[in-house]
mmCIF file of all heavy atoms in Angstrom:
data_model
loop_
_atom_site.group_PDB
_atom_site.id
_atom_site.type_symbol
_atom_site.label_atom_id
_atom_site.label_comp_id
_atom_site.label_asym_id
_atom_site.label_seq_id
_atom_site.Cartn_x
_atom_site.Cartn_y
_atom_site.Cartn_z
ATOM 1 N N SER A 256 114.038 172.241 138.665
ATOM 2 C CA SER A 256 112.768 171.956 137.982
ATOM 3 C C SER A 256 111.649 172.904 138.387
ATOM 4 O O SER A 256 110.558 172.868 137.806
ATOM 5 C CB SER A 256 112.332 170.509 138.268
ATOM 6 O OG SER A 256 113.294 169.595 137.802
ATOM 7 N N LEU A 257 111.884 173.737 139.405
ATOM 8 C CA LEU A 257 110.837 174.611 139.927
ATOM 9 C C LEU A 257 110.343 175.583 138.858
ATOM 10 O O LEU A 257 111.139 176.205 138.152
ATOM 11 C CB LEU A 257 111.367 175.371 141.138
ATOM 12 C CG LEU A 257 110.375 176.225 141.933
ATOM 13 C CD1 LEU A 257 110.786 176.268 143.407
ATOM 14 C CD2 LEU A 257 110.328 177.662 141.394
ATOM 15 N N VAL A 258 109.015 175.718 138.758
ATOM 16 C CA VAL A 258 108.394 176.649 137.807
ATOM 17 C C VAL A 258 108.062 177.941 138.558
ATOM 18 O O VAL A 258 107.237 177.946 139.474
ATOM 19 C CB VAL A 258 107.112 176.055 137.196
ATOM 20 C CG1 VAL A 258 106.464 177.066 136.246
ATOM 21 C CG2 VAL A 258 107.416 174.750 136.474
ATOM 22 N N VAL A 259 108.714 179.032 138.184
ATOM 23 C CA VAL A 259 108.445 180.320 138.813
ATOM 24 C C VAL A 259 107.091 180.821 138.328
ATOM 25 O O VAL A 259 106.861 180.964 137.122
ATOM 26 C CB VAL A 259 109.547 181.340 138.469
ATOM 27 C CG1 VAL A 259 109.248 182.687 139.117
ATOM 28 C CG2 VAL A 259 110.917 180.824 138.921
ATOM 29 N N ALA A 260 106.170 181.053 139.268
ATOM 30 C CA ALA A 260 104.810 181.414 138.880
ATOM 31 C C ALA A 260 104.135 182.217 139.989
ATOM 32 O O ALA A 260 104.523 182.139 141.161
ATOM 33 C CB ALA A 260 103.983 180.163 138.579
ATOM 34 N N ASN A 261 103.113 182.962 139.614
ATOM 35 C CA ASN A 261 102.323 183.725 140.580
ATOM 36 C C ASN A 261 101.447 182.763 141.384
ATOM 37 O O ASN A 261 100.811 181.871 140.821
ATOM 38 C CB ASN A 261 101.452 184.747 139.840
ATOM 39 C CG ASN A 261 100.854 185.775 140.766
ATOM 40 O OD1 ASN A 261 100.112 185.446 141.677
ATOM 41 N ND2 ASN A 261 101.157 187.042 140.525
ATOM 42 N N SER A 262 101.402 182.958 142.693
ATOM 43 C CA SER A 262 100.677 182.033 143.573
ATOM 44 C C SER A 262 99.238 182.467 143.870
ATOM 45 O O SER A 262 98.547 181.815 144.653
ATOM 46 C CB SER A 262 101.431 181.886 144.900
ATOM 47 O OG SER A 262 101.511 183.139 145.580
ATOM 48 N N ARG A 263 98.769 183.545 143.219
ATOM 49 C CA ARG A 263 97.459 184.099 143.579
ATOM 50 C C ARG A 263 96.320 183.105 143.350
ATOM 51 O O ARG A 263 95.444 182.932 144.211
ATOM 52 C CB ARG A 263 97.204 185.366 142.765
ATOM 53 C CG ARG A 263 95.996 186.173 143.232
ATOM 54 C CD ARG A 263 96.332 186.960 144.468
ATOM 55 N NE ARG A 263 95.257 187.861 144.852
ATOM 56 C CZ ARG A 263 95.436 188.925 145.636
ATOM 57 N NH1 ARG A 263 96.627 189.211 146.128
ATOM 58 N NH2 ARG A 263 94.421 189.701 145.970
ATOM 59 N N LYS A 264 96.302 182.434 142.209
ATOM 60 C CA LYS A 264 95.238 181.460 141.932
ATOM 61 C C LYS A 264 95.245 180.333 142.959
ATOM 62 O O LYS A 264 94.192 179.849 143.382
ATOM 63 C CB LYS A 264 95.386 180.885 140.526
ATOM 64 C CG LYS A 264 95.008 181.834 139.407
ATOM 65 C CD LYS A 264 95.121 181.122 138.063
ATOM 66 C CE LYS A 264 94.711 182.032 136.919
ATOM 67 N NZ LYS A 264 94.829 181.322 135.614
ATOM 68 N N ALA A 265 96.435 179.900 143.322
ATOM 69 C CA ALA A 265 96.550 178.823 144.315
ATOM 70 C C ALA A 265 95.966 179.252 145.654
ATOM 71 O O ALA A 265 95.319 178.452 146.347
ATOM 72 C CB ALA A 265 98.008 178.411 144.479
ATOM 73 N N HIS A 266 96.145 180.512 146.013
ATOM 74 C CA HIS A 266 95.567 181.015 147.258
ATOM 75 C C HIS A 266 94.034 181.064 147.179
ATOM 76 O O HIS A 266 93.347 180.760 148.158
ATOM 77 C CB HIS A 266 96.127 182.403 147.576
ATOM 78 C CG HIS A 266 97.512 182.373 148.153
ATOM 79 N ND1 HIS A 266 97.792 181.790 149.375
ATOM 80 C CD2 HIS A 266 98.685 182.844 147.676
ATOM 81 C CE1 HIS A 266 99.088 181.917 149.629
ATOM 82 N NE2 HIS A 266 99.651 182.554 148.608
ATOM 83 N N ARG A 267 93.510 181.446 146.021
ATOM 84 C CA ARG A 267 92.053 181.418 145.858
ATOM 85 C C ARG A 267 91.526 179.997 146.028
ATOM 86 O O ARG A 267 90.485 179.767 146.663
ATOM 87 C CB ARG A 267 91.662 181.951 144.469
ATOM 88 C CG ARG A 267 91.967 183.416 144.249
ATOM 89 C CD ARG A 267 91.520 183.840 142.857
ATOM 90 N NE ARG A 267 92.155 185.101 142.471
ATOM 91 C CZ ARG A 267 92.704 185.336 141.287
ATOM 92 N NH1 ARG A 267 92.703 184.401 140.351
ATOM 93 N NH2 ARG A 267 93.253 186.505 141.025
ATOM 94 N N LEU A 268 92.241 179.043 145.457
ATOM 95 C CA LEU A 268 91.841 177.636 145.564
ATOM 96 C C LEU A 268 91.859 177.179 147.020
ATOM 97 O O LEU A 268 90.965 176.454 147.471
ATOM 98 C CB LEU A 268 92.774 176.777 144.722
ATOM 99 C CG LEU A 268 92.401 175.300 144.563
ATOM 100 C CD1 LEU A 268 91.077 175.154 143.821
ATOM 101 C CD2 LEU A 268 93.516 174.556 143.824
ATOM 102 N N LEU A 269 92.864 177.608 147.754
ATOM 103 C CA LEU A 269 92.932 177.273 149.184
ATOM 104 C C LEU A 269 91.729 177.830 149.940
ATOM 105 O O LEU A 269 91.189 177.172 150.839
ATOM 106 C CB LEU A 269 94.228 177.809 149.794
ATOM 107 C CG LEU A 269 95.447 176.902 149.700
ATOM 108 C CD1 LEU A 269 96.711 177.668 150.077
ATOM 109 C CD2 LEU A 269 95.287 175.685 150.612
ATOM 110 N N HIS A 270 91.307 179.016 149.577
ATOM 111 C CA HIS A 270 90.138 179.594 150.242
ATOM 112 C C HIS A 270 88.864 178.829 149.889
ATOM 113 O O HIS A 270 87.958 178.703 150.727
ATOM 114 C CB HIS A 270 90.000 181.074 149.900
ATOM 115 C CG HIS A 270 90.789 181.960 150.813
ATOM 116 N ND1 HIS A 270 90.305 182.396 152.022
ATOM 117 C CD2 HIS A 270 92.052 182.458 150.713
ATOM 118 C CE1 HIS A 270 91.220 183.139 152.628
ATOM 119 N NE2 HIS A 270 92.286 183.191 151.847
ATOM 120 N N ALA A 271 88.801 178.308 148.685
ATOM 121 C CA ALA A 271 87.660 177.462 148.320
ATOM 122 C C ALA A 271 87.649 176.200 149.170
ATOM 123 O O ALA A 271 86.586 175.740 149.619
ATOM 124 C CB ALA A 271 87.718 177.101 146.843
ATOM 125 N N ALA A 272 88.830 175.642 149.416
ATOM 126 C CA ALA A 272 88.928 174.449 150.261
ATOM 127 C C ALA A 272 88.535 174.769 151.699
ATOM 128 O O ALA A 272 87.829 173.986 152.352
ATOM 129 C CB ALA A 272 90.354 173.894 150.207
ATOM 130 N N LYS A 273 88.957 175.920 152.194
ATOM 131 C CA LYS A 273 88.576 176.336 153.552
ATOM 132 C C LYS A 273 87.069 176.531 153.659
ATOM 133 O O LYS A 273 86.451 176.166 154.666
ATOM 134 C CB LYS A 273 89.317 177.637 153.923
ATOM 135 C CG LYS A 273 90.795 177.448 154.209
ATOM 136 C CD LYS A 273 91.552 178.765 154.210
ATOM 137 C CE LYS A 273 91.074 179.719 155.253
ATOM 138 N NZ LYS A 273 91.899 180.941 155.308
ATOM 139 N N GLN A 274 86.486 177.104 152.628
ATOM 140 C CA GLN A 274 85.041 177.334 152.612
ATOM 141 C C GLN A 274 84.288 176.000 152.643
ATOM 142 O O GLN A 274 83.300 175.843 153.374
ATOM 143 C CB GLN A 274 84.679 178.127 151.359
ATOM 144 C CG GLN A 274 83.261 178.662 151.324
ATOM 145 C CD GLN A 274 83.042 179.566 150.127
ATOM 146 O OE1 GLN A 274 83.255 179.184 148.972
ATOM 147 N NE2 GLN A 274 82.637 180.799 150.384
ATOM 148 N N ALA A 275 84.761 175.021 151.883
ATOM 149 C CA ALA A 275 84.132 173.699 151.871
ATOM 150 C C ALA A 275 84.298 173.008 153.226
ATOM 151 O O ALA A 275 83.375 172.353 153.717
ATOM 152 C CB ALA A 275 84.735 172.845 150.757
ATOM 153 N N ASP A 276 85.463 173.167 153.830
ATOM 154 C CA ASP A 276 85.710 172.574 155.154
ATOM 155 C C ASP A 276 84.774 173.163 156.197
ATOM 156 O O ASP A 276 84.273 172.448 157.079
ATOM 157 C CB ASP A 276 87.160 172.805 155.583
ATOM 158 C CG ASP A 276 88.154 171.985 154.777
ATOM 159 O OD1 ASP A 276 87.718 171.062 154.061
ATOM 160 O OD2 ASP A 276 89.359 172.277 154.868
ATOM 161 N N ALA A 277 84.535 174.470 156.107
ATOM 162 C CA ALA A 277 83.662 175.127 157.083
ATOM 163 C C ALA A 277 82.241 174.600 156.999
ATOM 164 O O ALA A 277 81.511 174.587 157.997
ATOM 165 C CB ALA A 277 83.676 176.643 156.857
ATOM 166 N N ALA A 278 81.859 174.134 155.814
ATOM 167 C CA ALA A 278 80.493 173.651 155.630
ATOM 168 C C ALA A 278 80.282 172.244 156.175
ATOM 169 O O ALA A 278 79.189 171.911 156.633
ATOM 170 C CB ALA A 278 80.135 173.681 154.144
ATOM 171 N N ASP A 279 81.346 171.426 156.143
ATOM 172 C CA ASP A 279 81.142 170.032 156.573
ATOM 173 C C ASP A 279 82.214 169.487 157.509
ATOM 174 O O ASP A 279 82.247 168.281 157.777
ATOM 175 C CB ASP A 279 81.027 169.116 155.346
ATOM 176 C CG ASP A 279 82.297 169.101 154.497
ATOM 177 O OD1 ASP A 279 83.343 169.589 154.960
ATOM 178 O OD2 ASP A 279 82.240 168.593 153.362
ATOM 179 N N GLY A 280 83.084 170.370 158.014
ATOM 180 C CA GLY A 280 84.106 169.920 158.946
ATOM 181 C C GLY A 280 85.221 169.114 158.300
ATOM 182 O O GLY A 280 85.927 168.356 158.977
ATOM 183 N N GLY A 281 85.421 169.284 156.998
ATOM 184 C CA GLY A 281 86.437 168.526 156.275
ATOM 185 C C GLY A 281 87.852 169.025 156.516
ATOM 186 O O GLY A 281 88.082 169.981 157.269
ATOM 187 N N THR A 282 88.806 168.372 155.858
ATOM 188 C CA THR A 282 90.229 168.718 156.023
ATOM 189 C C THR A 282 90.893 168.964 154.664
ATOM 190 O O THR A 282 92.073 168.700 154.488
ATOM 191 C CB THR A 282 90.966 167.587 156.760
ATOM 192 O OG1 THR A 282 90.819 166.355 156.011
ATOM 193 C CG2 THR A 282 90.429 167.405 158.168
ATOM 194 N N ARG A 283 90.119 169.483 153.726
ATOM 195 C CA ARG A 283 90.643 169.690 152.381
ATOM 196 C C ARG A 283 91.784 170.704 152.347
ATOM 197 O O ARG A 283 92.760 170.534 151.615
ATOM 198 C CB ARG A 283 89.527 170.167 151.456
ATOM 199 C CG ARG A 283 88.333 169.228 151.341
ATOM 200 C CD ARG A 283 87.205 169.890 150.568
ATOM 201 N NE ARG A 283 85.965 169.153 150.575
ATOM 202 C CZ ARG A 283 85.064 169.211 151.566
ATOM 203 N NH1 ARG A 283 85.292 169.974 152.635
ATOM 204 N NH2 ARG A 283 83.947 168.508 151.499
ATOM 205 N N ALA A 284 91.633 171.782 153.113
ATOM 206 C CA ALA A 284 92.621 172.866 153.058
ATOM 207 C C ALA A 284 93.998 172.378 153.468
ATOM 208 O O ALA A 284 95.006 172.725 152.837
ATOM 209 C CB ALA A 284 92.181 174.036 153.936
ATOM 210 N N GLY A 285 94.066 171.582 154.522
ATOM 211 C CA GLY A 285 95.358 171.058 154.959
ATOM 212 C C GLY A 285 95.987 170.155 153.919
ATOM 213 O O GLY A 285 97.201 170.231 153.650
ATOM 214 N N ARG A 286 95.167 169.289 153.309
ATOM 215 C CA ARG A 286 95.686 168.385 152.278
ATOM 216 C C ARG A 286 96.127 169.168 151.042
ATOM 217 O O ARG A 286 97.161 168.856 150.428
ATOM 218 C CB ARG A 286 94.630 167.348 151.890
ATOM 219 C CG ARG A 286 94.240 166.406 153.023
ATOM 220 C CD ARG A 286 93.536 165.163 152.493
ATOM 221 N NE ARG A 286 92.326 165.470 151.751
ATOM 222 C CZ ARG A 286 91.120 165.607 152.307
ATOM 223 N NH1 ARG A 286 90.990 165.511 153.630
ATOM 224 N NH2 ARG A 286 90.062 165.862 151.571
ATOM 225 N N LEU A 287 95.357 170.194 150.688
ATOM 226 C CA LEU A 287 95.696 170.990 149.517
ATOM 227 C C LEU A 287 96.963 171.809 149.745
ATOM 228 O O LEU A 287 97.806 171.918 148.845
ATOM 229 C CB LEU A 287 94.530 171.911 149.155
ATOM 230 C CG LEU A 287 94.737 172.827 147.949
ATOM 231 C CD1 LEU A 287 95.073 172.031 146.696
ATOM 232 C CD2 LEU A 287 93.502 173.696 147.724
ATOM 233 N N LYS A 288 97.097 172.380 150.922
ATOM 234 C CA LYS A 288 98.309 173.156 151.228
ATOM 235 C C LYS A 288 99.550 172.282 151.072
ATOM 236 O O LYS A 288 100.547 172.695 150.462
ATOM 237 C CB LYS A 288 98.232 173.705 152.651
ATOM 238 C CG LYS A 288 99.418 174.577 153.052
ATOM 239 C CD LYS A 288 99.423 175.885 152.289
ATOM 240 C CE LYS A 288 100.535 176.798 152.771
ATOM 241 N NZ LYS A 288 100.507 178.111 152.117
ATOM 242 N N GLU A 289 99.495 171.081 151.595
ATOM 243 C CA GLU A 289 100.612 170.150 151.470
ATOM 244 C C GLU A 289 100.882 169.824 150.006
ATOM 245 O O GLU A 289 102.042 169.827 149.556
ATOM 246 C CB GLU A 289 100.300 168.866 152.242
ATOM 247 C CG GLU A 289 101.330 167.758 152.100
ATOM 248 C CD GLU A 289 102.660 168.065 152.764
ATOM 249 O OE1 GLU A 289 102.694 168.919 153.668
ATOM 250 O OE2 GLU A 289 103.674 167.440 152.371
ATOM 251 N N ALA A 290 99.828 169.549 149.242
ATOM 252 C CA ALA A 290 99.990 169.185 147.840
ATOM 253 C C ALA A 290 100.570 170.331 147.016
ATOM 254 O O ALA A 290 101.388 170.113 146.105
ATOM 255 C CB ALA A 290 98.651 168.744 147.258
ATOM 256 N N LEU A 291 100.158 171.562 147.309
ATOM 257 C CA LEU A 291 100.681 172.715 146.584
ATOM 258 C C LEU A 291 102.172 172.920 146.861
ATOM 259 O O LEU A 291 102.958 173.162 145.932
ATOM 260 C CB LEU A 291 99.896 173.971 146.979
ATOM 261 C CG LEU A 291 98.480 174.089 146.409
ATOM 262 C CD1 LEU A 291 97.697 175.176 147.148
ATOM 263 C CD2 LEU A 291 98.515 174.377 144.912
ATOM 264 N N LEU A 292 102.550 172.823 148.113
ATOM 265 C CA LEU A 292 103.961 173.001 148.466
ATOM 266 C C LEU A 292 104.825 171.883 147.884
ATOM 267 O O LEU A 292 105.902 172.131 147.344
ATOM 268 C CB LEU A 292 104.106 173.061 149.988
ATOM 269 C CG LEU A 292 103.569 174.324 150.658
ATOM 270 C CD1 LEU A 292 103.455 174.129 152.163
ATOM 271 C CD2 LEU A 292 104.462 175.521 150.349
ATOM 272 N N GLU A 293 104.339 170.657 147.998
ATOM 273 C CA GLU A 293 105.084 169.529 147.440
ATOM 274 C C GLU A 293 105.178 169.648 145.918
ATOM 275 O O GLU A 293 106.242 169.421 145.324
ATOM 276 C CB GLU A 293 104.419 168.209 147.819
ATOM 277 C CG GLU A 293 105.172 166.989 147.299
ATOM 278 C CD GLU A 293 104.504 165.698 147.687
ATOM 279 O OE1 GLU A 293 103.253 165.661 147.748
ATOM 280 O OE2 GLU A 293 105.224 164.702 147.919
#
């Protein structure tokens, strides 16, 4: 069922999550990384 696709947009999204975490000490990046892989 795996969809072969370019991961570049997903990496940009991860950086947005890291940027938001840096501003308020959140844990979005870790949750997003897990969700993307799953």
Side-chain angles (χ1 to χ4, degrees):
S256 299
L257 187 149
V258 178
V259 179
N261 193 300
S262 62
R263 191 78 173 201
K264 287 183 178 180
H266 282 296
R267 294 181 197 135
L268 188 64
L269 273 168
H270 273 275
K273 287 165 61 175
Q274 191 173 56
D276 289 347
D279 63 13
T282 58
R283 302 172 188 83
R286 296 197 301 272
L287 179 57
K288 182 69 175 184
E289 175 69 22
L291 286 166
L292 289 166
E293 182 180 34

